[in-house]
Amino acid sequence: MLKSTRNALLGAALVGISFSGQAYAETTLNALFMAQAAYSEADVRAMTEAFTKANPDVKVNLEFVPYEGLHDKTVLAQGSGGGYDVVLFDVIWPAEYATNKVLVDVTDRITDDMQKGVLPGAWTTVEYDGKRYGMPWILDTKYLFYNKEILEKAGITAPPKTWDELAEQAKTIKDKGLLATPIAWSWSQAEAAICDYTTLVSAYGGKFIDGGKPAFTTGGGLDALNYMVSSYTSGITNPNSKEFLEEDVRKVFQNGEAAFALNWTYMYNLANDPKESKVAGKVGVVPAPGVAGKSEVSAVNGSMGLGITSTSQHPDEAWKYIVHMTSQPTQNAYAKLSLPIWASSYEDANVTKGQEELIAAAKRGLAAMYPRPTTPKYQELSTALQQAIQEALLGQTSAEDALKTAAENSGL
């Protein structure tokens, strides 16, 4: 009798059933996200809770790191032979991750409904060499935000359509004593600065790489850095921009200390929230400006995807989780901090309500998204350019010489 009772207990444990009739979680997924722009940590936790409620046999452990730690955390975990099942990755990493077998090729998992329903441009976020390494999740670019009240006080009737107009309007605001330094950028020696630089490179019609070699030392690449230096040294840009990341820019703008700011989608609704912001109801947003004769608007591709690591022991469950997180119902429900990847979402009143101005800007900005270089050596190139931007801003060297040094150190 004792032996049979023991066997019954053992059998129950093996199938993951407790005597209360509840199922124990049979699979645990470890997922890596960022605590920065786009979806908030609370959003990601709520999305995940909905998944585990619908899939009680799967538990998901969430880890959040600053964007600046996302790449290295992923790669180091891979090197140790384990760690994460699902990782958030930037549009700049598929080349490296595919080459080094960090992510699993999921091309065959993409359904016809996914293929047809997702905005065509969003797929570039997860593609390399004709294959797909995840699902696009965050569809994003940087927009020009402006304080409507400050522009009105300065007698400015419309936001700038060109980068030169931005400088002129900022000077007007400064000269009228409304703000000492009207523009805030995220120019810290980090990827954030590369996103702002890329926005300007796209405006000036520049190139990063041509024929496998650096092409940013002349033309639009040089024009872009010269503009940054001019904006900084002329006094229209907040001097602390050289240390700012996106959250710093958001706080300065929300405090009414900037008339203009370049930032991601998420700032729109946070800056318009009276609990968060002193400028709620005064926030305008337009696509980043263009350059006369070269572009009407400018935009960097700042999108991100969710992928399965090659070391994951649970690829099927990991994919099921990714499908949930990127699904249209999930994205529509959390569309205030990151716009959906699904084309038909933009016809949904629940998605557009209260952010019509943002979506109008997104229709133009997302269509103009310009990529940062697609190369397995991206990290080296980015680091070299970050240093070049800092040295040029600080006047340690000319923009031209700084970019030449970056080209030499780019690994290309």
Side-chain angles (χ1 to χ4, degrees):
M1 181 71 177
L2 183 62
K3 185 176 179 182
S4 63
T5 303
R6 188 178 66 218
N7 287 344
L9 285 167
L10 180 62
L14 287 172
V15 297
I17 304 296
S18 76
F19 283 101
S20 63
Q22 293 177 319
Y24 290 121
E26 294 173 0
T27 302
T28 299
L29 298 176
N30 294 311
L32 183 65
F33 291 91
M34 71 172 179
Q36 209 152 308
Y39 297 116
S40 67
E41 185 174 328
D43 283 352
V44 176
R45 290 192 184 281
M47 293 175 191
T48 302
E49 191 177 331
F51 172 78
T52 53
K53 194 172 180 181
N55 299 273
D57 57 333
V58 182
K59 178 185 176 185
V60 184
N61 291 329
L62 299 173
E63 184 176 345
F64 296 87
V65 296
Y67 169 86
E68 288 69 33
L70 200 54
H71 172 273
D72 289 356
K73 269 265 189 186
T74 301
V75 173
L76 288 171
Q78 193 76 6
S80 65
Y84 306 108
D85 299 281
V86 174
V87 291
L88 177 65
F89 62 91
D90 202 347
V91 63
I92 52 184
W93 299 330
E96 176 195 348
Y97 284 5
T99 302
N100 296 332
K101 296 181 169 54
V102 173
L103 293 178
V104 173
D105 174 6
V106 296
T107 309
D108 292 343
R109 292 181 183 266
I110 307 293
T111 66
D112 285 344
D113 285 345
M114 290 173 179
Q115 176 63 39
K116 292 171 186 172
V118 171
L119 289 161
W123 287 115
T124 61
T125 309
V126 299
E127 289 175 336
Y128 179 67
D129 202 20
K131 294 177 181 176
R132 290 173 177 168
Y133 291 89
M135 275 292 286
W137 188 46
I138 296 168
L139 184 63
D140 216 348
T141 190
K142 283 196 163 184
Y143 301 95
L144 183 69
F145 293 86
Y146 63 98
N147 184 313
K148 294 178 178 179
E149 185 177 61
I150 292 174
L151 264 65
E152 190 178 331
K153 284 181 180 177
I156 298 167
T157 56
K161 291 185 178 177
T162 67
W163 288 105
D164 283 346
E165 281 182 19
L166 172 65
E168 290 162 13
Q169 291 187 9
K171 188 175 185 304
T172 298
I173 290 164
K174 183 181 177 72
D175 290 348
K176 291 194 174 186
L178 294 167
L179 284 173
T181 53
I183 313 175
W185 313 75
S186 42
W187 288 350
S188 176
Q189 193 165 331
E191 189 61 31
I194 304 302
C195 293
D196 285 9
Y197 175 64
T198 302
T199 304
L200 287 158
V201 170
S202 82
Y204 282 100
K207 287 183 180 179
F208 282 102
I209 301 173
D210 194 12
K213 299 295 180 186
F216 50 79
T217 57
T218 59
L222 179 57
D223 292 340
L225 186 52
N226 276 330
Y227 183 90
M228 293 169 79
V229 172
S230 172
S231 181
Y232 187 78
T233 57
S234 67
I236 57 174
T237 278
N238 187 317
N240 295 321
S241 290
K242 69 181 186 300
E243 289 136 24
F244 283 170
L245 293 172
E246 291 90 344
E247 275 292 82
D248 302 304
V249 170
R250 177 172 76 88
K251 286 165 187 171
V252 166
F253 185 81
Q254 287 182 182
N255 282 335
E257 296 163 10
F260 300 104
L262 202 65
N263 214 334
W264 307 107
T265 305
Y266 84 113
M267 189 167 95
Y268 184 72
N269 280 295
L270 290 179
N272 269 317
D273 181 353
K275 295 175 188 172
E276 290 262 353
S277 171
K278 294 178 182 176
V279 300
K282 304 169 188 174
V283 180
V285 62
V286 288
V291 170
K294 292 186 177 178
S295 58
E296 290 190 6
V297 298
S298 53
V300 57
N301 188 344
S303 303
M304 303 183 82
L306 291 174
I308 306 167
T309 66
S310 58
T311 54
S312 173
Q313 300 298 305
H314 310 289
D316 291 340
E317 291 88 347
W319 180 248
K320 194 173 185 181
Y321 175 59
I322 289 171
V323 169
H324 165 79
M325 296 296 278
T326 61
S327 70
Q328 191 166 16
T330 298
Q331 288 216 309
N332 286 3
Y334 295 91
K336 297 300 181 188
L337 296 181
S338 187
L339 295 174
I341 60 172
W342 303 90
S344 62
S345 293
Y346 295 86
E347 296 156 23
D348 185 331
N350 292 322
V351 170
T352 60
K353 188 178 179 182
Q355 51 183 7
E356 291 84 358
E357 196 174 343
L358 172 66
I359 286 172
K363 283 180 179 176
R364 299 185 70 205
L366 295 175
M369 286 196 301
Y370 190 82
R372 285 163 283 170
T374 303
T375 169
K377 294 183 177 178
Y378 181 81
Q379 291 303 109
E380 286 177 69
L381 171 58
S382 176
T383 301
L385 279 170
Q386 290 169 31
Q387 188 170 343
I389 290 167
Q390 282 288 310
E391 290 175 357
L393 290 175
L394 295 172
Q396 294 170 350
T397 184
S398 68
E400 188 173 7
D401 287 343
L403 290 175
K404 283 179 181 175
T405 301
E408 290 166 7
N409 297 332
S410 66
L412 295 174

